[in-house]
mmCIF file of all heavy atoms in Angstrom:
data_model
loop_
_atom_site.group_PDB
_atom_site.id
_atom_site.type_symbol
_atom_site.label_atom_id
_atom_site.label_comp_id
_atom_site.label_asym_id
_atom_site.label_seq_id
_atom_site.Cartn_x
_atom_site.Cartn_y
_atom_site.Cartn_z
ATOM 1 N N ALA A 15 0.826 -1.215 0.000
ATOM 2 C CA ALA A 15 0.000 0.000 0.000
ATOM 3 C C ALA A 15 0.859 1.263 0.000
ATOM 4 O O ALA A 15 0.398 2.324 -0.411
ATOM 5 C CB ALA A 15 -0.947 0.003 1.199
ATOM 6 N N ALA A 16 2.091 1.155 0.446
ATOM 7 C CA ALA A 16 3.015 2.293 0.491
ATOM 8 C C ALA A 16 4.254 1.996 -0.354
ATOM 9 O O ALA A 16 5.372 2.342 0.005
ATOM 10 C CB ALA A 16 3.403 2.583 1.937
ATOM 11 N N TRP A 17 4.050 1.364 -1.497
ATOM 12 C CA TRP A 17 5.162 0.897 -2.321
ATOM 13 C C TRP A 17 6.115 2.014 -2.756
ATOM 14 O O TRP A 17 7.300 1.764 -2.929
ATOM 15 C CB TRP A 17 4.642 0.131 -3.538
ATOM 16 C CG TRP A 17 3.793 0.932 -4.471
ATOM 17 C CD1 TRP A 17 2.432 1.050 -4.447
ATOM 18 C CD2 TRP A 17 4.243 1.731 -5.563
ATOM 19 N NE1 TRP A 17 2.005 1.877 -5.453
ATOM 20 C CE2 TRP A 17 3.097 2.307 -6.160
ATOM 21 C CE3 TRP A 17 5.492 2.017 -6.097
ATOM 22 C CZ2 TRP A 17 3.169 3.151 -7.259
ATOM 23 C CZ3 TRP A 17 5.567 2.864 -7.192
ATOM 24 C CH2 TRP A 17 4.414 3.419 -7.764
ATOM 25 N N ARG A 18 5.624 3.222 -2.902
ATOM 26 C CA ARG A 18 6.509 4.328 -3.321
ATOM 27 C C ARG A 18 7.576 4.625 -2.268
ATOM 28 O O ARG A 18 8.687 5.014 -2.606
ATOM 29 C CB ARG A 18 5.690 5.587 -3.594
ATOM 30 C CG ARG A 18 4.941 5.562 -4.900
ATOM 31 C CD ARG A 18 4.137 6.854 -5.096
ATOM 32 N NE ARG A 18 3.397 6.832 -6.328
ATOM 33 C CZ ARG A 18 2.216 6.243 -6.486
ATOM 34 N NH1 ARG A 18 1.650 5.620 -5.472
ATOM 35 N NH2 ARG A 18 1.611 6.272 -7.654
ATOM 36 N N GLU A 19 7.215 4.472 -1.001
ATOM 37 C CA GLU A 19 8.129 4.789 0.094
ATOM 38 C C GLU A 19 8.908 3.569 0.589
ATOM 39 O O GLU A 19 9.850 3.715 1.355
ATOM 40 C CB GLU A 19 7.359 5.396 1.267
ATOM 41 C CG GLU A 19 6.800 6.786 0.993
ATOM 42 C CD GLU A 19 5.536 6.780 0.155
ATOM 43 O OE1 GLU A 19 4.796 5.785 0.185
ATOM 44 O OE2 GLU A 19 5.296 7.781 -0.553
ATOM 45 N N ALA A 20 8.493 2.385 0.193
ATOM 46 C CA ALA A 20 9.131 1.158 0.678
ATOM 47 C C ALA A 20 10.262 0.741 -0.260
ATOM 48 O O ALA A 20 10.112 0.810 -1.476
ATOM 49 C CB ALA A 20 8.097 0.041 0.785
ATOM 50 N N PRO A 21 11.384 0.300 0.303
ATOM 51 C CA PRO A 21 12.535 -0.049 -0.525
ATOM 52 C C PRO A 21 12.518 -1.472 -1.078
ATOM 53 O O PRO A 21 13.491 -1.913 -1.670
ATOM 54 C CB PRO A 21 13.706 0.114 0.458
ATOM 55 C CG PRO A 21 13.120 -0.265 1.774
ATOM 56 C CD PRO A 21 11.696 0.253 1.733
ATOM 57 N N TYR A 22 11.409 -2.186 -0.923
ATOM 58 C CA TYR A 22 11.389 -3.624 -1.188
ATOM 59 C C TYR A 22 10.992 -4.021 -2.604
ATOM 60 O O TYR A 22 10.923 -5.203 -2.910
ATOM 61 C CB TYR A 22 10.428 -4.320 -0.207
ATOM 62 C CG TYR A 22 10.585 -3.849 1.209
ATOM 63 C CD1 TYR A 22 9.534 -3.260 1.883
ATOM 64 C CD2 TYR A 22 11.809 -3.978 1.869
ATOM 65 C CE1 TYR A 22 9.678 -2.812 3.184
ATOM 66 C CE2 TYR A 22 11.971 -3.528 3.167
ATOM 67 C CZ TYR A 22 10.901 -2.947 3.811
ATOM 68 O OH TYR A 22 11.049 -2.493 5.091
ATOM 69 N N PHE A 23 10.718 -3.058 -3.467
ATOM 70 C CA PHE A 23 10.184 -3.368 -4.782
ATOM 71 C C PHE A 23 11.163 -2.991 -5.889
ATOM 72 O O PHE A 23 11.856 -1.979 -5.797
ATOM 73 C CB PHE A 23 8.838 -2.657 -4.983
ATOM 74 C CG PHE A 23 7.849 -3.033 -3.919
ATOM 75 C CD1 PHE A 23 7.633 -2.201 -2.831
ATOM 76 C CD2 PHE A 23 7.179 -4.240 -3.967
ATOM 77 C CE1 PHE A 23 6.754 -2.552 -1.820
ATOM 78 C CE2 PHE A 23 6.297 -4.611 -2.960
ATOM 79 C CZ PHE A 23 6.077 -3.768 -1.886
ATOM 80 N N THR A 24 11.182 -3.815 -6.931
ATOM 81 C CA THR A 24 12.075 -3.556 -8.065
ATOM 82 C C THR A 24 11.508 -2.422 -8.917
ATOM 83 O O THR A 24 10.337 -2.054 -8.797
ATOM 84 C CB THR A 24 12.207 -4.809 -8.951
ATOM 85 O OG1 THR A 24 10.937 -5.076 -9.570
ATOM 86 C CG2 THR A 24 12.681 -6.018 -8.142
ATOM 87 N N ASP A 25 12.331 -1.903 -9.801
ATOM 88 C CA ASP A 25 11.872 -0.859 -10.714
ATOM 89 C C ASP A 25 10.729 -1.380 -11.600
ATOM 90 O O ASP A 25 9.792 -0.650 -11.897
ATOM 91 C CB ASP A 25 13.020 -0.356 -11.588
ATOM 92 C CG ASP A 25 14.031 0.460 -10.799
ATOM 93 O OD1 ASP A 25 13.710 0.923 -9.679
ATOM 94 O OD2 ASP A 25 15.161 0.640 -11.306
ATOM 95 N N GLU A 26 10.814 -2.633 -12.009
ATOM 96 C CA GLU A 26 9.762 -3.234 -12.830
ATOM 97 C C GLU A 26 8.452 -3.316 -12.046
ATOM 98 O O GLU A 26 7.375 -2.995 -12.571
ATOM 99 C CB GLU A 26 10.179 -4.634 -13.299
ATOM 100 C CG GLU A 26 11.323 -4.638 -14.288
ATOM 101 C CD GLU A 26 12.711 -4.497 -13.654
ATOM 102 O OE1 GLU A 26 12.838 -4.550 -12.407
ATOM 103 O OE2 GLU A 26 13.666 -4.308 -14.420
ATOM 104 N N GLU A 27 8.527 -3.759 -10.798
ATOM 105 C CA GLU A 27 7.325 -3.840 -9.968
ATOM 106 C C GLU A 27 6.735 -2.452 -9.723
ATOM 107 O O GLU A 27 5.513 -2.269 -9.762
ATOM 108 C CB GLU A 27 7.640 -4.516 -8.636
ATOM 109 C CG GLU A 27 7.946 -5.999 -8.778
ATOM 110 C CD GLU A 27 8.587 -6.614 -7.553
ATOM 111 O OE1 GLU A 27 9.196 -5.881 -6.729
ATOM 112 O OE2 GLU A 27 8.502 -7.847 -7.406
ATOM 113 N N ARG A 28 7.587 -1.477 -9.494
ATOM 114 C CA ARG A 28 7.115 -0.106 -9.276
ATOM 115 C C ARG A 28 6.391 0.420 -10.520
ATOM 116 O O ARG A 28 5.358 1.080 -10.411
ATOM 117 C CB ARG A 28 8.280 0.815 -8.918
ATOM 118 C CG ARG A 28 8.851 0.552 -7.546
ATOM 119 C CD ARG A 28 10.100 1.408 -7.288
ATOM 120 N NE ARG A 28 10.694 1.032 -6.026
ATOM 121 C CZ ARG A 28 10.220 1.368 -4.838
ATOM 122 N NH1 ARG A 28 9.147 2.118 -4.734
ATOM 123 N NH2 ARG A 28 10.831 0.961 -3.735
ATOM 124 N N ALA A 29 6.931 0.120 -11.692
ATOM 125 C CA ALA A 29 6.287 0.550 -12.935
ATOM 126 C C ALA A 29 4.916 -0.109 -13.083
ATOM 127 O O ALA A 29 3.943 0.538 -13.482
ATOM 128 C CB ALA A 29 7.179 0.228 -14.133
ATOM 129 N N ALA A 30 4.831 -1.394 -12.752
ATOM 130 C CA ALA A 30 3.548 -2.112 -12.835
ATOM 131 C C ALA A 30 2.553 -1.569 -11.813
ATOM 132 O O ALA A 30 1.364 -1.390 -12.121
ATOM 133 C CB ALA A 30 3.773 -3.609 -12.623
ATOM 134 N N LEU A 31 3.011 -1.294 -10.609
ATOM 135 C CA LEU A 31 2.126 -0.757 -9.573
ATOM 136 C C LEU A 31 1.648 0.654 -9.919
ATOM 137 O O LEU A 31 0.474 0.987 -9.703
ATOM 138 C CB LEU A 31 2.828 -0.782 -8.209
ATOM 139 C CG LEU A 31 3.012 -2.174 -7.612
ATOM 140 C CD1 LEU A 31 4.029 -2.140 -6.473
ATOM 141 C CD2 LEU A 31 1.684 -2.751 -7.143
ATOM 142 N N ALA A 32 2.523 1.468 -10.480
ATOM 143 C CA ALA A 32 2.123 2.815 -10.890
ATOM 144 C C ALA A 32 1.077 2.754 -12.004
ATOM 145 O O ALA A 32 0.092 3.500 -11.989
ATOM 146 C CB ALA A 32 3.344 3.623 -11.341
ATOM 147 N N LEU A 33 1.285 1.864 -12.962
ATOM 148 C CA LEU A 33 0.311 1.695 -14.040
ATOM 149 C C LEU A 33 -1.020 1.200 -13.468
ATOM 150 O O LEU A 33 -2.093 1.698 -13.853
ATOM 151 C CB LEU A 33 0.845 0.720 -15.089
ATOM 152 C CG LEU A 33 -0.052 0.472 -16.287
ATOM 153 C CD1 LEU A 33 -0.286 1.761 -17.074
ATOM 154 C CD2 LEU A 33 0.561 -0.605 -17.177
ATOM 155 N N ALA A 34 -0.954 0.258 -12.558
ATOM 156 C CA ALA A 34 -2.173 -0.277 -11.946
ATOM 157 C C ALA A 34 -2.944 0.814 -11.210
ATOM 158 O O ALA A 34 -4.174 0.919 -11.333
ATOM 159 C CB ALA A 34 -1.828 -1.419 -10.998
ATOM 160 N N GLU A 35 -2.241 1.628 -10.444
ATOM 161 C CA GLU A 35 -2.909 2.711 -9.716
ATOM 162 C C GLU A 35 -3.513 3.735 -10.673
ATOM 163 O O GLU A 35 -4.656 4.168 -10.486
ATOM 164 C CB GLU A 35 -1.938 3.396 -8.758
ATOM 165 C CG GLU A 35 -1.643 2.572 -7.533
ATOM 166 C CD GLU A 35 -0.856 3.330 -6.473
ATOM 167 O OE1 GLU A 35 -0.557 4.536 -6.657
ATOM 168 O OE2 GLU A 35 -0.556 2.714 -5.437
ATOM 169 N N ALA A 36 -2.763 4.124 -11.694
ATOM 170 C CA ALA A 36 -3.256 5.137 -12.631
ATOM 171 C C ALA A 36 -4.476 4.624 -13.398
ATOM 172 O O ALA A 36 -5.449 5.356 -13.583
ATOM 173 C CB ALA A 36 -2.148 5.548 -13.598
ATOM 174 N N ALA A 37 -4.440 3.369 -13.825
ATOM 175 C CA ALA A 37 -5.566 2.808 -14.573
ATOM 176 C C ALA A 37 -6.779 2.582 -13.677
ATOM 177 O O ALA A 37 -7.914 2.733 -14.115
ATOM 178 C CB ALA A 37 -5.156 1.497 -15.240
ATOM 179 N N THR A 38 -6.546 2.249 -12.421
ATOM 180 C CA THR A 38 -7.642 2.038 -11.481
ATOM 181 C C THR A 38 -8.286 3.356 -11.090
ATOM 182 O O THR A 38 -9.506 3.442 -10.944
ATOM 183 C CB THR A 38 -7.124 1.288 -10.235
ATOM 184 O OG1 THR A 38 -6.616 0.017 -10.670
ATOM 185 C CG2 THR A 38 -8.216 1.082 -9.210
ATOM 186 N N ARG A 39 -7.487 4.381 -10.958
ATOM 187 C CA ARG A 39 -7.986 5.703 -10.566
ATOM 188 C C ARG A 39 -8.161 6.610 -11.782
ATOM 189 O O ARG A 39 -7.980 7.824 -11.697
ATOM 190 C CB ARG A 39 -7.016 6.340 -9.572
ATOM 191 C CG ARG A 39 -6.985 5.605 -8.251
ATOM 192 C CD ARG A 39 -6.037 6.276 -7.290
ATOM 193 N NE ARG A 39 -6.251 5.762 -5.951
ATOM 194 C CZ ARG A 39 -5.288 5.608 -5.051
ATOM 195 N NH1 ARG A 39 -4.050 5.960 -5.339
ATOM 196 N NH2 ARG A 39 -5.554 5.134 -3.860
ATOM 197 N N ILE A 40 -8.539 6.033 -12.882
ATOM 198 C CA ILE A 40 -8.611 6.754 -14.149
ATOM 199 C C ILE A 40 -9.528 7.971 -14.076
ATOM 200 O O ILE A 40 -9.284 8.980 -14.737
ATOM 201 C CB ILE A 40 -9.004 5.780 -15.280
ATOM 202 C CG1 ILE A 40 -8.523 6.296 -16.607
ATOM 203 C CG2 ILE A 40 -10.479 5.453 -15.263
ATOM 204 C CD1 ILE A 40 -8.481 5.229 -17.675
ATOM 205 N N ALA A 41 -10.554 7.910 -13.259
ATOM 206 C CA ALA A 41 -11.485 9.049 -13.137
ATOM 207 C C ALA A 41 -10.847 10.235 -12.419
ATOM 208 O O ALA A 41 -11.330 11.357 -12.533
ATOM 209 C CB ALA A 41 -12.743 8.618 -12.388
ATOM 210 N N ASP A 42 -9.756 10.003 -11.712
ATOM 211 C CA ASP A 42 -9.088 11.071 -10.972
ATOM 212 C C ASP A 42 -8.176 11.928 -11.838
ATOM 213 O O ASP A 42 -7.647 12.932 -11.374
ATOM 214 C CB ASP A 42 -8.262 10.485 -9.817
ATOM 215 C CG ASP A 42 -9.123 9.805 -8.776
ATOM 216 O OD1 ASP A 42 -10.341 10.083 -8.730
ATOM 217 O OD2 ASP A 42 -8.575 8.989 -8.014
ATOM 218 N N ASN A 43 -7.950 11.519 -13.076
ATOM 219 C CA ASN A 43 -7.035 12.243 -13.949
ATOM 220 C C ASN A 43 -7.722 12.467 -15.291
ATOM 221 O O ASN A 43 -7.976 11.509 -16.009
ATOM 222 C CB ASN A 43 -5.739 11.450 -14.136
ATOM 223 C CG ASN A 43 -4.681 12.235 -14.878
ATOM 224 O OD1 ASN A 43 -4.974 13.188 -15.593
ATOM 225 N ND2 ASN A 43 -3.450 11.825 -14.722
ATOM 226 N N PRO A 44 -8.008 13.722 -15.650
ATOM 227 C CA PRO A 44 -8.709 13.978 -16.911
ATOM 228 C C PRO A 44 -7.962 13.461 -18.135
ATOM 229 O O PRO A 44 -8.561 13.200 -19.164
ATOM 230 C CB PRO A 44 -8.869 15.494 -16.956
ATOM 231 C CG PRO A 44 -8.171 16.053 -15.787
ATOM 232 C CD PRO A 44 -7.704 14.929 -14.914
ATOM 233 N N ALA A 45 -6.656 13.288 -18.024
ATOM 234 C CA ALA A 45 -5.867 12.773 -19.146
ATOM 235 C C ALA A 45 -5.808 11.249 -19.154
ATOM 236 O O ALA A 45 -5.155 10.663 -20.016
ATOM 237 C CB ALA A 45 -4.455 13.352 -19.084
ATOM 238 N N GLY A 46 -6.461 10.606 -18.197
ATOM 239 C CA GLY A 46 -6.384 9.149 -18.113
ATOM 240 C C GLY A 46 -5.056 8.726 -17.500
ATOM 241 O O GLY A 46 -4.592 9.334 -16.543
ATOM 242 N N VAL A 47 -4.439 7.716 -18.047
ATOM 243 C CA VAL A 47 -3.130 7.259 -17.564
ATOM 244 C C VAL A 47 -2.076 8.219 -18.118
ATOM 245 O O VAL A 47 -1.946 8.373 -19.334
ATOM 246 C CB VAL A 47 -2.846 5.812 -18.019
ATOM 247 C CG1 VAL A 47 -1.435 5.393 -17.647
ATOM 248 C CG2 VAL A 47 -3.872 4.845 -17.418
ATOM 249 N N PRO A 48 -1.325 8.875 -17.229
ATOM 250 C CA PRO A 48 -0.319 9.840 -17.695
ATOM 251 C C PRO A 48 0.771 9.184 -18.550
ATOM 252 O O PRO A 48 1.135 8.019 -18.341
ATOM 253 C CB PRO A 48 0.286 10.385 -16.396
ATOM 254 C CG PRO A 48 -0.721 10.089 -15.341
ATOM 255 C CD PRO A 48 -1.410 8.824 -15.771
ATOM 256 N N ASP A 49 1.291 9.947 -19.499
ATOM 257 C CA ASP A 49 2.334 9.434 -20.386
ATOM 258 C C ASP A 49 3.553 8.950 -19.626
ATOM 259 O O ASP A 49 4.154 7.934 -20.006
ATOM 260 C CB ASP A 49 2.756 10.508 -21.397
ATOM 261 C CG ASP A 49 1.711 10.749 -22.471
ATOM 262 O OD1 ASP A 49 0.844 9.872 -22.688
ATOM 263 O OD2 ASP A 49 1.755 11.836 -23.090
ATOM 264 N N ASP A 50 3.955 9.657 -18.564
ATOM 265 C CA ASP A 50 5.161 9.236 -17.845
ATOM 266 C C ASP A 50 4.962 7.868 -17.188
ATOM 267 O O ASP A 50 5.881 7.048 -17.169
ATOM 268 C CB ASP A 50 5.612 10.281 -16.828
ATOM 269 C CG ASP A 50 4.602 10.545 -15.721
ATOM 270 O OD1 ASP A 50 3.375 10.524 -15.986
ATOM 271 O OD2 ASP A 50 5.035 10.781 -14.579
ATOM 272 N N VAL A 51 3.764 7.609 -16.705
ATOM 273 C CA VAL A 51 3.476 6.305 -16.098
ATOM 274 C C VAL A 51 3.504 5.223 -17.175
ATOM 275 O O VAL A 51 4.121 4.170 -17.000
ATOM 276 C CB VAL A 51 2.110 6.335 -15.367
ATOM 277 C CG1 VAL A 51 1.693 4.941 -14.916
ATOM 278 C CG2 VAL A 51 2.177 7.288 -14.178
ATOM 279 N N TRP A 52 2.838 5.488 -18.287
ATOM 280 C CA TRP A 52 2.818 4.527 -19.394
ATOM 281 C C TRP A 52 4.237 4.272 -19.918
ATOM 282 O O TRP A 52 4.643 3.126 -20.117
ATOM 283 C CB TRP A 52 1.927 5.024 -20.529
ATOM 284 C CG TRP A 52 1.966 4.089 -21.694
ATOM 285 C CD1 TRP A 52 2.733 4.195 -22.824
ATOM 286 C CD2 TRP A 52 1.248 2.858 -21.821
ATOM 287 N NE1 TRP A 52 2.530 3.124 -23.644
ATOM 288 C CE2 TRP A 52 1.618 2.284 -23.045
ATOM 289 C CE3 TRP A 52 0.329 2.204 -21.006
ATOM 290 C CZ2 TRP A 52 1.097 1.075 -23.493
ATOM 291 C CZ3 TRP A 52 -0.202 0.995 -21.450
ATOM 292 C CH2 TRP A 52 0.184 0.450 -22.672
ATOM 293 N N ASN A 53 4.989 5.341 -20.145
ATOM 294 C CA ASN A 53 6.333 5.209 -20.698
ATOM 295 C C ASN A 53 7.253 4.438 -19.775
ATOM 296 O O ASN A 53 8.085 3.647 -20.234
ATOM 297 C CB ASN A 53 6.916 6.582 -21.034
ATOM 298 C CG ASN A 53 6.179 7.239 -22.186
ATOM 299 O OD1 ASN A 53 5.527 6.578 -22.997
ATOM 300 N ND2 ASN A 53 6.252 8.559 -22.246
#
């Protein structure tokens, strides 16, 4: 739940978790999933 602050996750896992959060909270961002998260 606090993956951004926890040192236990790989860069790949962090990218997947960020994408998951952005896609799940899609209504919170008028642009949808941000380009930086997707990239």
